[in-house]
Amino acid sequence: TGIAHRFKSIHLALGILEDDLFDASVEEVVLDNANTLFACSDGLIEQVNSSGEPFSQKRLINLLQENPPDLPGAIISCFDAHVENAVHT
């Protein structure tokens, strides 16, 4: 249960650097069958609600640490509740 490993962003977004300057190195972590890998873009945590409050990394981490049996469903439900009544542009 909980978060076993957090990856830190160490590279610029694709397309920013010329090919000869791009660092394609990767970080490897061994997972067993009890682990789940979760990845998302910053669009998830930066999505604001009708009050202008972002979904936030803190809210996402709290949800991940709860380790719900249906993690994707729990994230979707929490996100939907957060953005309810938000103005979409």
Side-chain angles (χ1 to χ4, degrees), residues 3 12 21 77 85 88-89:
I3 297 173
L12 293 174
L21 297 175
S77 294
N85 301 321
H88 300 285
T89 58

Side-chain angles (χ1 to χ4, degrees), residues 64-76:
L64 294 171
Q65 288 176 328
E66 290 173 12
N67 196 26
D70 177 18
L71 180 59
I75 292 169
I76 291 168

Side-chain angles (χ1 to χ4, degrees), residues 11-80:
H11 300 293
L12 293 174
L14 293 174
I16 301 293
L17 296 174
E18 298 295 327
D19 290 347
D20 59 328
L21 297 175
F22 180 72
D23 177 4
S25 62
V26 296
E27 180 179 352
E28 294 183 33
V29 174
V30 178
L31 302 175
D32 61 33
N33 290 339
N35 294 123
T36 299
L37 177 65
F38 176 81
C40 69
S41 74
D42 57 359
L44 174 65
I45 60 174
E46 292 176 358
Q47 179 61 51
V48 295
N49 62 13
S50 59
S51 300
E53 174 189 17
F55 186 74
S56 80
Q57 183 175 356
K58 180 180 179 182
R59 185 185 319 250
L60 179 61
I61 289 172
N62 287 342
L63 186 57
L64 294 171
Q65 288 176 328
E66 290 173 12
N67 196 26
D70 177 18
L71 180 59
I75 292 169
I76 291 168
S77 294
C78 187
F79 182 80
D80 285 348

